């Protein structure tokens, strides 16, 4: 089975093997990152050699400890054996059942205190690491709360600790069960707010609907409700708060979570237009975990191809033209548009090779993705790369020079790096000329433009474009099953008009 998929658990309940979780377990036990990575690679090779697709957590830990003893030393091996590995569950006892501890669930509850997502996840991670290093494999919900409260006090002060204590003693409990699992999971207002934002609900209304949904579904005792009950309650509240159109849009997002085919969202645009922030926001709203920057693909290609072989690859898009000037020819301070675009197109064609491989791999895995970067030029990525996907191309632009300059100023202030800003200003005219070229291509190819909008406005419009594209890909039967006969008929008529 060499080269095949490896899973941890049993055939009935399993998850993919992760070298990262093995390495994290060893780092927690005192190993260096490099040594931990070496052990995890060796362990993966051993599992392939065993030709055993499923490995229990107990067997995996034993193999990890043995390999650590041989490659790192007995002290780390003994500590790894004593601790709870990152791939082992820590069970939390509630009044009626046991559930695996989840950093994500704890982090989302901490966001309700007013912590930023990154701060909330940091506290939840510290709780997780403390338990694993302490060898705690089972504890009560109250003990989790006590530990969280202590770490909150240490990291964010007494007021945050007391706020958390108030909420833990006054919160109701609501479990959610889906058709794909018999085990309930905690209801999360954060996840529901995420879906509502993607449906175009204003943040204040989204939080209000999420709170109302939780309050109306839960009782004085623990309750388990189905995801269908939650959707129906949310749609009822949306119709009353913001209208039936938004309720229907929310219903469509069910398809986005599990689209008929993987989604590939292409966010193109020149440097300084805010593509990276927008990509993160769209991915968050649509629940897409994979975001790839074309710059990162270019960096990988640079690592394996020398500047002497492909000089344009090792330049920026706005000065790749310099690599095309013959040595005997004098280099101008600024290129002609023809020179500028020749260098730009050559780099785009080179990077497109790597982008095609990244997209094809994602589609083979059936995973949706957001791809962002200046190299996503309309018409340059072959359609064959996207076979079997729902593709949504979008171009991000800034209409005025002043607005574009202000973006570079903001980036310099946030990163405290003046040097990149100075370089961008040197080539500002070239960057603006490239944007004009991309706009012309986008109009020729029918690619929509998001022109000079705020982050929220751009995200709303981008999600709308994704919803429209997914809806267009559905068969009439799929639309009827999703929306009901009447709404499906109305949507079909609108699609035909478009």
């Amino acid at each position: 089975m060499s080269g095949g998929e490896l899973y941890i658990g049993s055939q009935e309940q399993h998850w993919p093997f992760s070298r990262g979780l093995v390495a994290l377990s060893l780092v927690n036990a005192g190993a260096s990152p490099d040594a931990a990575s070496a052990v995890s690679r060796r362990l993966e090779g051993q599992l392939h050699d065993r030709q055993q697709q499923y490995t229990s957590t107990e067997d995996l830990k034993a193999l990890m400890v043995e390999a650590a003893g041989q490659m790192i030393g007995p002290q780390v091996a003994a500590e790894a054996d004593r601790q709870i590995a990152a791939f082992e569950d820590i069970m939390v006892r509630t009044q009626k059942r046991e559930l695996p501890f989840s950093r994500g669930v704890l982090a989302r509850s901490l966001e309700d205190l007013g912590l930023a997502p990154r701060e909330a996840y940091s506290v939840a991670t510290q709780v997780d690491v403390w338990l694993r290093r302490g060898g705690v494999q089972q504890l009560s919900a109250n003990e989790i709360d006590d530990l969280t409260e202590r770490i909150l006090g240490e990291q964010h002060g007494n007021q945050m600790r007391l706020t958390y204590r108030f909420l833990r003693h006054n919160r109701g409990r609501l479990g959610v069960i889906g058709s794909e699992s018999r085990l309930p999971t905690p209801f999360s207002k954060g996840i529901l707010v995420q879906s509502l934002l993607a449906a175009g609900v204003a943040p204040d209304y989204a939080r209000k609907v999420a709170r109302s949904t939780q309050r109306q579904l839960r009782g004085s005792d623990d309750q388990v409700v189905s995801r269908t009950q939650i959707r129906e309650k949310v749609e009822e509240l949306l119709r009353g708060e913001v209208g039936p159109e938004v309720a229907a849009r929310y219903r469509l997002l069910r398809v986005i979570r599990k689209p008929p085919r993987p989604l590939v969202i292409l966010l193109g645009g020149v440097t300084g237009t805010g593509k990276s922030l927008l990509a993160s926001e769209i991915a968050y709203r649509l629940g897409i975990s994979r975001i790839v920057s074309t710059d990162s693909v270019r960096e990988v290609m640079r690592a394996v191809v020398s500047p002497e072989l492909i000089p344009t690859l090792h330049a920026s898009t706005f000065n790749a033209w310099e690599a095309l000037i013959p040595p005997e020819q004098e280099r101008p301070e600024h290129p002609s548009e023809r020179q500028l675009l020749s260098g730009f197109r050559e780099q785009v064609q080179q990077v497109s090779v790597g982008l095609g491989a990244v997209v094809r791999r994602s589609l083979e895995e059936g995973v949706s993705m957001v791809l962002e970067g200046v190299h996503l030029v309309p018409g340059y990525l072959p359609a064959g790369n996207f076979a079997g996907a729902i593709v949504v191309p979008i171009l991000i632009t800034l209409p005025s020079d002043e607005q574009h300059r202000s973006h570079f100023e903001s980036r310099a202030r946030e990163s405290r790096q003046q040097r990149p800003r100075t370089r961008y200003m040197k080539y500002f005219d070239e960057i603006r000329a490239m944007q004009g070229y991309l706009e012309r291509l986008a109009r020729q190819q029918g690619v929509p433009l998001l022109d000079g909008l705020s982050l929220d406005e751009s995200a709303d419009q981008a999600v709308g474009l994704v919803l429209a594209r997914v809806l267009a890909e559905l068969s009439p039967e799929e639309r009827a099953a999703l929306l009901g006969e009447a709404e499906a008929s109305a949507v079909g008529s609108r699609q035909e008009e478009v």
Side-chain angles (χ1 to χ4, degrees), residues 47-116:
L47 293 177
H48 279 299
D49 291 340
R50 288 172 57 172
Q51 297 187 353
Q52 182 175 327
Q53 191 174 17
Y54 302 96
T55 303
S56 68
T57 54
E58 294 82 6
D59 287 347
L60 180 62
K61 186 172 184 178
L63 289 170
M64 178 187 72
V65 170
E66 180 183 1
Q70 295 170 356
M71 298 178 66
I72 303 176
Q75 185 174 349
V76 170
E79 188 62 17
D81 191 31
R82 184 189 68 81
Q83 293 185 11
I84 307 303
F87 48 79
E88 293 181 292
D89 282 334
I90 296 173
M91 301 306 297
V92 180
R93 298 188 305 274
T94 65
Q95 289 182 349
K96 295 186 176 180
R97 61 183 68 87
E98 284 190 351
L99 295 171
F101 170 71
S102 166
R103 280 182 298 179
V105 171
L106 178 56
R108 287 192 288 271
S109 71
L110 293 171
E111 287 183 46
D112 289 341
L113 299 178
L115 290 181

Side-chain angles (χ1 to χ4, degrees), residues 27-29 79 82-84 128-136:
V27 169
N28 285 342
E79 188 62 17
R82 184 189 68 81
Q83 293 185 11
I84 307 303
D128 181 76
V129 170
W130 192 94
L131 293 172
R132 294 186 185 281
R133 286 180 172 170
V136 180

Side-chain angles (χ1 to χ4, degrees), residues 118 176 184 186 207 234 332 337 407 439:
R118 182 175 296 179
V176 182
R207 287 190 286 270
V234 170
E337 184 172 352
H407 273 231
E439 288 178 343

